[in-house]
Amino acid sequence: MNKSTSQRVSEVNAALDLLRSKIANKAAKLAVIGLGYVGLPVACLFAEAGFDVLGVDIQAERIAQINAGVSPIEGDEPGLAELLAGVVETGRLHATTNYEALRDRDIILICVETPVDEQHVPRYVALKSALRSLGPVLKEGALVIIESTIAPGTMAKIVKPILEETSGKRVNAGFFLGHCPERVMPGKLLANLRGVSRVCGGETPETAQAMLALYRHVVKADLDTADCVTAELVKTAENAYRDVNIAFANEVALICEAVGGDVWRVRELVNKSPGRNMLLPGAGVGGHCIPKDPWLLSYQAREQGVPIRLIPAARAVNESMPLHMVELLEDALAEVGKSVTGTRVLVLGYAYLENSDDTRHSPSAALVARLQELGAEVVIHDPYVPEYQGDVVEMAQGCDAAVVMVGHSVYRELDWEALKTMLQVPILVNGRGISPQISGWVYRGIGEGL
């Protein structure tokens, strides 16, 4: 006999009530799929809060490090290494490559990469793989939460169908589904997870409330409930907003160079006006999020023929900044009668973000490629990226110019006079406004007109 609608609703509510009860007393067993910059600190924080957490990742070497209590994330990441060591020692966090271990998990958080291709189309290889591996072992009544940033409509068009097909269960009956996009950045992973507000987007309002109860164990800021598409829109829109505003700052910097202004002083004075918050210009925008999230935000609309103008324009401005750094270098070299061809250039910084080892979509990569294309020899230094570590002053020996691409604290405290004495020619191109003493340099800076 078929169940009545009221019976089905009653069973669903009972399943969610049971899940909320297990969340409240920390009896719910959690899993985190993807143990990178997002997933690892998420797993650690829930383990610290008292939950039994199982981490899953396809990289066996990473799994071995985590199970040994050693963080695979380099860079200045306050508190993470100590927290990981502690929760592994207590047994509340364990990691594996085996999806079979997920059969008893009540809540599964998915934190995998969601890139776009060269045509700005989402390529969810890791997400689809995780979903297809999870489906066959998904526990009855489990809650699946996507933390990865995804294009609006992805939960409905990709996540839900794959899970229903591979699990043989129906959403809001055999399992529950939600989207709670992360809001973190390298260097502040734990601080952001604890102190930045989150949107709990549920397939139903009741699911969203269960998600809110879960995240309240680790998030001390506002938690707002919404539907899945709203959560998708909020995350992609906030990063697109930042990208557009950085592009504005970069374009003002280019104007300042053209007319003889100083963008850093202009920015300071603009921001004294109420309601103004001009962001920092610079040598490029990198990382896993901002370069691709505007394309995720606009993807479905673009597919439907909606004219998208501002987002592509902002992306073009920000993508052009590493190449503009090459132009500044060419101008400085010309002042001393040199060309880029045959020049030895010291590039300061290869991570996309200061005091981080994260090189994803590094602006320095674009700069280096262009310099090499023009025939320059490139020497790269970065205190946080293992292959580029070393004594920066010694690495300047025999170079013709130094180009600041990342505002690492090491560079802000650098003995610039010592570095200058090692260069063949004292040329400095400054892409991050770190304000070294420029006396005696052939100097060019972003947004600093001659």
Side-chain angles (χ1 to χ4, degrees):
M1 179 182 296
N2 292 331
K3 296 179 181 179
S4 67
T5 300
S6 61
Q7 284 178 306
R8 289 195 295 270
V9 170
S10 177
E11 289 176 359
V12 169
N13 288 340
L16 277 174
D17 286 344
L18 175 61
L19 185 60
R20 281 193 290 263
S21 175
K22 294 175 81 171
I23 290 170
N25 60 29
K26 302 179 184 178
K29 293 186 176 182
L30 273 58
V32 178
I33 298 176
L35 298 174
Y37 287 93
V38 177
L40 181 59
V42 165
C44 288
L45 283 180
F46 277 111
E48 180 189 41
F51 289 92
D52 175 356
V53 183
L54 177 67
V56 178
D57 199 279
I58 61 174
Q59 297 185 43
E61 182 179 351
R62 178 177 291 261
I63 293 299
Q65 283 184 278
I66 291 169
N67 285 335
V70 177
S71 175
I73 297 176
E74 303 277 348
D76 185 10
E77 209 54 73
L80 180 59
E82 296 83 359
L83 177 58
L84 171 62
V87 294
V88 168
E89 185 178 359
T90 62
R92 288 197 296 269
L93 174 61
H94 179 74
T96 181
T97 59
N98 186 8
Y99 275 80
E100 285 293 323
L102 297 177
R103 288 188 180 276
D104 68 342
R105 298 290 114 172
D106 300 295
I107 300 170
I108 301 94
L109 311 177
I110 299 181
C111 309
V112 297
E113 64 176 2
T114 50
V116 297
D117 64 17
E118 292 182 358
Q119 286 72 46
H120 316 309
V121 174
R123 294 301 179 210
Y124 297 137
V125 175
L127 177 61
K128 290 177 180 178
S129 176
L131 293 169
R132 291 187 177 117
S133 297
L134 172 63
V137 298
L138 187 62
K139 180 182 179 180
E140 186 76 20
L143 169 61
V144 179
I145 301 173
I146 308 299
E147 288 211 355
S148 305
T149 304
I150 49 181
T154 302
M155 293 293 292
K157 295 183 178 181
I158 294 178
V159 176
K160 175 182 170 182
I162 290 177
L163 277 180
E164 288 190 331
E165 177 188 353
T166 57
S167 70
K169 301 176 175 66
R170 306 297 295 176
V171 72
N172 302 325
F175 70 95
F176 303 99
L177 190 58
H179 178 42
C180 186
E182 50 82 12
R183 281 174 163 166
V184 301
M185 66 182 298
K188 300 179 180 179
L189 295 177
L190 294 179
N192 284 171
L193 285 169
R194 290 176 175 132
V196 176
S197 66
R198 301 286 289 273
V199 179
C200 298
E203 185 73 16
T204 66
E206 293 77 16
T207 301
Q209 287 295 330
M211 294 167 63
L212 188 150
L214 173 69
Y215 282 96
R216 180 53 64 204
H217 285 284
V218 296
V219 177
K220 306 309 176 186
D222 289 344
L223 288 170
D224 296 291
T225 58
D227 55 40
C228 287
V229 74
T230 298
E232 291 169 324
L233 283 162
V234 168
K235 176 56 191 294
T236 50
E238 69 184 51
N239 279 347
Y241 173 86
R242 183 166 177 80
D243 194 44
V244 168
N245 280 275
I246 293 172
F248 172 77
N250 281 332
E251 198 147 278
V252 172
L254 298 178
I255 292 169
C256 286
E257 290 174 26
V259 302
D262 181 342
V263 72
W264 309 103
R265 179 62 172 159
V266 169
R267 176 180 178 271
E268 175 189 357
L269 298 178
V270 164
N271 287 348
K272 287 191 173 184
S273 182
R276 309 301 190 271
N277 183 28
M278 181 175 162
L279 300 183
L280 293 167
V285 176
H288 182 59
C289 297
I290 292 181
K292 57 104 176 169
D293 289 357
W295 298 121
L296 292 178
L297 171 64
S298 62
Y299 173 65
Q300 293 290 348
R302 286 184 282 127
E303 288 290 289
Q304 297 175 38
V306 176
I308 306 297
R309 303 183 183 92
L310 185 60
I311 285 172
R315 283 278 72 235
V317 170
N318 290 336
E319 289 288 322
S320 75
M321 295 310 290
L323 303 183
H324 180 62
M325 290 291 292
V326 175
E327 293 172 346
L328 291 177
L329 175 60
E330 288 178 311
D331 188 59
L333 286 166
E335 184 175 320
V336 296
K338 287 179 171 284
S339 69
V340 173
T341 303
T343 298
R344 186 177 170 92
V345 180
L346 174 64
V347 175
L348 300 179
Y350 199 82
Y352 90 87
L353 182 69
E354 60 187 55
N355 300 334
S356 167
D357 71 328
D358 193 343
T359 62
R360 292 176 294 179
H361 203 89
S362 164
S364 297
L367 173 100
V368 169
R370 180 57 177 158
L371 288 175
Q372 291 174 337
E373 183 182 278
L374 293 173
E377 179 184 354
V378 180
V379 177
I380 304 170
H381 176 269
D382 193 297
Y384 295 103
V385 180
E387 57 263 46
Y388 301 130
Q389 291 172 347
D391 187 304
V392 63
V393 174
E394 290 182 4
M395 292 172 73
Q397 178 81 44
C399 291
D400 297 288
V403 179
V404 180
M405 290 295 291
V406 186
H408 289 314
S409 58
V410 168
Y411 302 146
R412 297 181 185 277
E413 300 163 3
L414 186 61
D415 184 343
W416 288 95
E417 285 300 313
L419 186 139
K420 183 170 67 174
T421 62
M422 301 294 279
L423 295 172
Q424 299 268 40
V425 184
I427 293 176
L428 178 63
V429 181
N430 187 354
R432 295 298 174 185
I434 63 175
S435 300
Q437 294 294 320
I438 62 173
S439 176
W441 291 91
V442 177
Y443 179 86
R444 299 291 186 276
I446 288 282
E448 300 179 53
L450 298 177

